[in-house]
Amino acid sequence: MSISFPNESQNYRAARDALLQRELHLRREMESVAAELRALPPGGEVPEDYLFDCIGEDGTGATVPMSELFRGGDTLMLYHYMFPRHAQDSRPGPTRGVTAQLSLEEGPCPSCTALIDMWEGTLPHFEGLGGNLAVVAKAPIERVVAFARDKGWRHIRLLSAAHNSFRRDYGGDGPDGRPVPIMTVFKRWPDGTVRLHWASELIHATSDPGQDPRHLGTVEPLWTLFDLTPGGRPRADEQIEYPCCRGPQETRPS
């Protein structure tokens, strides 16, 4: 393969071709890791059919067992939403809606919120192709749904583990009770047994100096977009709101 762009130097083309070889190697490695992930042996059996809080079709509080979350399929992804956030997270909280009345410690994590924002538009495609994802917070379900309404989320399935031990059992709440933003993937086997298939355990591994945890790096388009820019990822964290942008419920001038 040979390609060039207008007015590029020989030094640029040589460096770009060398980098391309590393990109090819990275793609092979990513495909290999993904294949190993798919081929993992059966994980531990889920100890109980956890009962989650949700909002029913009539708009009132309801419960749903984990077994029904599979929707007839064999795969279930559950993201552990840090809502409430980590106690040491001092980033500003929401400025409008019911959630703005909460103390900062009771409110949602800006980074988790940004990730869910990214997934919101993806879910119709993901589910349309057979994917199955839900988000599990620790906060009361009414509080989570109220925040989702303020955010304009329509596609994300929201659950609360306020009345079960799911998050504690599967790493969403650490031994000290502090929240952990972990992804857990479950598989229902032909005999009906539900087992953990994979979890983003990389969140617990020590990062190299100056490196993000990247435990869900390939599913965070915000950061992978920045990876393609000359400046790379900014030295800043996600926020609930930005001065440049307005929320979906605010009135914009005509």
Side-chain angles (χ1 to χ4, degrees), residues 99-170:
T99 317
Q101 302 173 20
L102 300 174
S103 66
L104 198 61
E105 294 78 11
E106 293 178 296
C109 165
S111 295
C112 289
T113 299
L115 179 59
I116 297 170
D117 275 335
M118 298 177 223
W119 289 342
E120 164 66 16
T122 304
L123 257 293
H125 296 279
F126 186 64
E127 292 184 347
L129 293 172
N132 187 17
L133 169 68
V135 170
V136 183
K138 187 177 182 179
I141 189 61
E142 293 80 8
R143 185 174 294 177
V144 180
V145 170
F147 179 62
R149 188 178 303 115
D150 291 336
K151 290 290 295 178
W153 293 342
R154 298 185 297 112
H155 304 301
I156 297 292
R157 270 195 302 164
L158 298 167
L159 306 167
S160 171
H163 298 108
N164 66 39
S165 63
F166 170 76
R167 287 174 54 94
R168 183 172 66 252
D169 294 345
Y170 283 96

Side-chain angles (χ1 to χ4, degrees), residues 35 38 40 69 76 83 92 106 109 137 142 146 148 166 218 223 231 234 247 251:
R38 294 191 296 270
L40 282 170
L69 297 175
L76 171 65
F83 190 171
E106 293 178 296
C109 165
E142 293 80 8
F166 170 76
T218 57
W223 299 118
T251 301

Side-chain angles (χ1 to χ4, degrees), residues 34 41 45 47 61 63 82 88 102 131 134 148 169 178 181 187 213 223:
E45 183 177 351
T63 58
M82 294 172 67
Q88 296 179 352
L102 300 174
D169 294 345
R178 292 180 177 179
K187 180 177 179 179
W223 299 118

Side-chain angles (χ1 to χ4, degrees), residues 3-24:
I3 188 172
S4 63
F5 295 104
N7 300 319
E8 66 180 25
S9 67
Q10 290 183 344
N11 287 340
Y12 174 86
R13 177 45 46 194
R16 182 65 189 93
D17 286 346
L19 177 59
L20 179 59
Q21 294 306 307
R22 297 196 64 186
E23 292 174 356
L24 290 168

Side-chain angles (χ1 to χ4, degrees), residues 227-254:
D227 283 341
L228 300 180
T229 65
R233 301 186 181 199
R235 294 187 176 276
D237 292 320
E238 307 95 324
Q239 304 294 323
I240 294 288
E241 300 169 12
Y242 300 88
C244 63
C245 308
R246 298 187 177 186
Q249 306 250 328
E250 292 190 33
T251 301
R252 297 174 184 267
S254 58

